[in-house]
Amino acid sequence: MKNRSLISNSFFIFIIRFFPSLANLLVVVWYSRRLPQEVYGNYQHFWIQLSVLCPLACIGIHVLTVTYAPGFIMKLLKTIKARQYTLYGFWVLALAILFAALQHSALEISLFIPFLFLISYTLATIFESFLIVFRNYQSLVAINVIYSALFWGIHWFVLGHSFSLHTVFVYLLILTVLRLCIYWGIAIINVQRYDEEEHEEEYNLGKIRTLWMHLGVYDVTQILSNWVDKFIISLTLSAPLSAIYYNGSQNIPFLPLLLSAAGSAVLIQLARGGRKNETTDVIQLMNQMGRMLSCIVFPVFFFLLLFRVDFIVTIFTVKYLPAVPVFMAALFILPVRAYHFTTVLQRMHKGSIINIGAIAELILACTLIYPLYRWIGLPGVALSFVISTYFQATFYLFYSARLLQTSPLKLVPYVNWLVKLIVFATLFIAIRYAAYRYFTGIIPLILGGAMMIVMVCVSLLIEYKKQSNYGRR
């Protein structure tokens, strides 16, 4: 039951966040082709700044929430004073004013729209984490499916009827506020119906406050890590080179959501308590998560690596062919995404270690950018973040094992990974050889993508059966 619960939690958390990301991805592809470059750039400018300011507004609350059980969260909420709510409110209002000022000068839209947008978007993010802890999965899936459909519908309608950025964001603001109100209502129902649990973790406000601060810093640092290379390139190189790097270094859609969902599911599972040997359970869950994620990450990695040219040309057209080497370099970060390296540290309130790793990773990457760029050009910029990420993963793994008083190798299913790497690499090399030998055009890419989906499904099914059998022993 424990193994099935982890997979179920991971699946639902991923699905909750999948549909909004899918709708956004479709809009990005569609709008980039239909809108003038300047208008599309201003549209993306809104979301980029929102993505940076929203974590600042959340200050780690949404990340901290999934660390604890519902009973613990309820107990914690009762200790928060009105003065603390007021201070947080002023913080969010200050960032909302900043966001409104930035958007008003860039888009020339009403200050009212971005101001309310940041507030409602931030609160919706926090309430969503709260509802995930209370396992309101079905409600969240339904809400986000409807939200995603309306998100796409709004963009489609406005583009076909006197398009303006002002109109787009007015409708999106209304949609965001409606989602927040629904979240709020469900949260109130959860609080009213909640029954005290028999098991509750030890309550230590100082420890919680410290972890909260560290998680907030970590969340912001991760956002900077995702965007600082693109920011530096935009300031130092020409616009065409910046566009090539931006398209080549794009994150693979949905994989960050998958990693976040798996980590949150493990934390929720560990927060349930009632276990005789937590260290053994932590090791088992972390290995289980690594095996599950590798079923998805490894096939995606080999597919994109071996079909990279056709993939870039098909998505971005032939004018972005120079982005292929950048894309190839950036791809080597994928294998390390088959594991959530901060879960143990977060569970054990080692926020300082998490932040040391995050800040060191950012500093190392920035230090490597210039020498690697001078050596191999734009791919070197992407490679600098690949190298720093592997160092960060090693650092986190070492400290997690040290806290659990075990070997780092026991925390990762390295034998399982090695077998999968060999099998997937062999299969994809054979598929690529056959596809390009007998077919031309887009057909090899389609065949490779189809086989990737088959391999993901088959390997997940095999892994699920193995873990279900293990859970019944």
Side-chain angles (χ1 to χ4, degrees), residues 300-436:
V300 171
F301 168 68
F302 284 112
F303 163 68
L304 294 176
L305 181 65
L306 295 173
F307 293 87
R308 58 188 179 277
V309 176
D310 283 352
F311 181 81
I312 290 293
V313 171
T314 301
I315 299 298
F316 297 115
T317 73
V318 71
K319 64 182 178 181
Y320 284 104
L321 191 60
V324 172
V326 178
F327 183 66
M328 179 179 176
L331 278 177
F332 281 93
I333 205 171
L334 285 186
V336 80
R337 300 304 189 201
Y339 198 81
H340 198 282
F341 288 92
T342 61
T343 299
V344 173
L345 298 172
Q346 185 172 339
R347 171 62 185 171
M348 303 184 74
H349 293 80
K350 296 300 179 181
S352 59
I353 301 299
I354 294 175
N355 279 333
I356 289 172
I359 295 172
E361 186 264 345
L362 186 59
I363 293 173
L364 177 60
C366 292
T367 303
L368 292 173
I369 284 178
Y370 182 72
L372 288 180
Y373 171 73
R374 295 288 297 177
W375 179 34
I376 54 177
L378 285 178
V381 180
L383 189 61
S384 65
F385 284 85
V386 174
I387 294 172
S388 64
T389 299
Y390 276 90
F391 272 99
Q392 182 192 56
T394 303
F395 174 80
Y396 285 153
L397 186 64
F398 171 79
Y399 268 95
S400 297
R402 185 176 178 181
L403 289 169
L404 294 173
Q405 297 182 343
T406 187
S407 167
L409 290 179
K410 289 187 178 180
L411 281 175
V412 294
Y414 63 93
V415 175
N416 180 278
W417 284 354
L418 183 60
V419 171
K420 285 177 180 174
L421 285 171
I422 295 172
V423 171
F424 290 140
T426 303
L427 289 174
F428 270 107
I429 290 172
I431 292 167
R432 184 185 186 282
Y433 174 79
Y436 283 108

Side-chain angles (χ1 to χ4, degrees), residues 5-159:
S5 181
L6 174 63
I7 295 173
S8 176
N9 288 340
S10 301
F11 172 77
F12 277 114
I13 295 172
F14 174 75
I15 288 297
I16 288 166
R17 295 165 178 169
F18 169 81
F19 286 103
S21 296
L22 175 62
N24 182 68
L25 177 63
L26 294 175
V27 169
V28 165
V29 174
W30 192 40
Y31 268 31
S32 65
R33 295 174 179 270
R34 297 292 299 274
L35 292 178
Q37 190 174 23
E38 183 178 356
V39 177
Y40 174 71
N42 286 331
Y43 171 82
Q44 284 294 359
H45 188 253
F46 182 96
W47 293 109
I48 290 171
Q49 292 190 354
L50 180 68
S51 298
V52 172
L53 291 178
C54 182
L56 286 173
C58 290
I59 54 174
I61 296 174
H62 62 305
V63 185
L64 178 74
T65 302
V66 297
T67 306
Y68 301 107
F72 197 78
I73 295 295
M74 293 295 297
K75 188 174 181 179
L76 180 61
L77 287 174
K78 294 176 182 178
T79 67
I80 301 176
K81 300 177 182 178
R83 181 176 62 88
Q84 294 169 318
Y85 280 113
T86 303
L87 289 174
Y88 179 68
F90 279 124
W91 170 249
V92 176
L93 288 175
L95 290 175
I97 293 171
L98 173 61
F99 183 60
L102 292 171
Q103 296 309 310
H104 179 68
S105 60
L107 304 182
E108 297 183 355
I109 61 177
S110 170
L111 291 170
F112 172 79
I113 298 172
F115 176 80
L116 289 181
F117 208 107
L118 179 68
I119 295 174
S120 56
Y121 197 87
T122 297
L123 294 178
T125 301
I126 293 172
F127 274 104
E128 185 173 272
S129 295
F130 180 84
L131 297 180
I132 285 174
V133 170
F134 278 81
R135 294 186 174 87
N136 295 119
Y137 296 141
Q138 294 181 348
S139 298
L140 286 171
V141 169
I143 292 168
N144 279 286
V145 167
I146 296 172
Y147 169 84
S148 303
L150 293 175
F151 183 89
W152 166 256
I154 287 171
H155 285 86
W156 173 83
F157 175 80
V158 176
L159 187 60

Side-chain angles (χ1 to χ4, degrees), residues 303 307 310 431-432 435-436 439-449:
F303 163 68
F307 293 87
D310 283 352
I431 292 167
R432 184 185 186 282
Y436 283 108
F439 301 99
T440 59
I442 199 175
I443 295 178
L445 182 65
I446 295 174
L447 289 175

Side-chain angles (χ1 to χ4, degrees), residues 237-295:
L237 300 180
S238 65
L241 287 177
S242 179
I244 288 171
Y245 182 81
Y246 182 83
N247 286 346
S249 61
Q250 282 289 308
N251 287 328
I252 306 304
F254 315 124
L255 282 184
L257 295 181
L258 180 67
L259 181 65
S260 175
S264 297
V266 172
L267 287 170
I268 291 172
Q269 192 79 4
L270 292 174
R272 294 174 65 181
R275 51 183 52 83
K276 295 180 179 179
N277 191 332
E278 180 165 338
T279 298
T280 301
D281 284 346
V282 168
I283 294 173
Q284 180 184 333
L285 286 171
M286 294 302 292
N287 275 268
Q288 182 184 352
M289 176 181 62
R291 290 191 295 267
M292 181 180 69
L293 288 175
S294 64
C295 293

Side-chain angles (χ1 to χ4, degrees), residues 216-242:
V217 172
Y218 175 76
D219 194 46
V220 173
T221 305
Q222 290 300 100
I223 294 296
L224 291 176
S225 180
N226 288 331
W227 290 100
V228 69
D229 55 336
K230 300 172 183 65
F231 180 74
I232 293 174
I233 291 294
S234 68
L235 292 178
T236 57
L237 300 180
S238 65
L241 287 177
S242 179

